[in-house]
Structures are given as C-alpha cells and as structure tokens.
Amino acid sequence: MAEFTGRAAYLQIADGLKEQIRSGKTPPGEKLPSEAELMSQHGVSRTVARQAISRLREDGYAISHQGKGSFASLPSKDHPVKRSPEFEQITEYLSEVRQDVRRLAERMDQLEELVRQQARER
C-alpha cells in the first residue's frame, strides 16, 4: 500500500517502478504490472494506477502498447524529459487537492450515513 507521506500515491508508485528499472530488477523490455496489478499491490484506485503508468511514460521509463500493456524502458539521452519546477509544483498541488476532495467526499458519505441511521431510529 502506498504510504501517506504527503507525496501523491501515484508518484510514490512511479518512483518505486523507476527505481526497479534503473537498478535492473525490471530490465528494459520487461512487462510492467497492469493497472489491476498495481491496484491490488498498492491498494489504490484505477485512477492512481493509471496516473503512475502515465508518469512512467512521460518520464521515459515505460512504453505502452494498446492491448498488450506497458513495458519498461530507460529514458533516451537524446530526448530528455524537461519539466519546469513550476510544472512539478502545480502537479503536486493538484494531487494534494484531489486527495483533499477525496477525503471530503468520504466524510460527506459518513455524515450522510449517520443522518440515515438517525432517521431510521426515529
């Protein structure tokens, strides 16, 4: 399960997979875990799993083939990924906002359930 570190779960998952690729534990060309496998392994939603794979592709650590899955890759030195610090800050901020919204939705669900229970007791 992705730990609550203040860093988005999809970034934690992507960082772990990148480390496996860089270390050679998952060599280039090897099939990466599917979204369903990432969901199961890390206890995350499909959206988080999809974002992790997307981040790997953006950073040059994965190549995806429709219907076949994603495969490990090493970033090309000819085409390094360039992101501004502002982009990274905005991405991180949006991830935090999504987490906050998710927590608020969960709290709202709990409150609605409490109201339903109280209504049934009357």
Side-chain angles (χ1 to χ4, degrees), residues 46-117:
R46 183 169 301 280
T47 301
V48 171
R50 188 170 290 146
Q51 288 175 317
I53 293 170
S54 179
R55 175 50 71 99
L56 290 175
R57 280 195 311 270
E58 290 170 9
D59 292 349
Y61 285 91
I63 298 171
S64 296
H65 298 284
Q66 184 69 31
K68 295 185 189 262
S70 296
F71 299 84
S73 176
L74 288 172
S76 168
K77 291 179 178 138
D78 298 334
H79 298 85
V81 175
K82 294 180 183 175
R83 289 202 180 100
S84 69
E86 293 84 8
F87 176 86
E88 292 295 336
Q89 289 174 339
I90 291 169
T91 301
E92 187 71 26
Y93 176 75
L94 288 175
S95 176
E96 292 170 11
V97 168
R98 273 191 233 116
Q99 288 176 351
D100 290 343
V101 169
R102 189 175 316 116
R103 276 187 238 126
L104 286 171
E106 290 170 0
R107 289 183 67 193
M108 187 64 134
D109 289 344
Q110 291 171 350
L111 287 172
E112 288 173 348
E113 181 59 29
L114 182 61
V115 168
R116 281 193 291 273
Q117 287 176 356

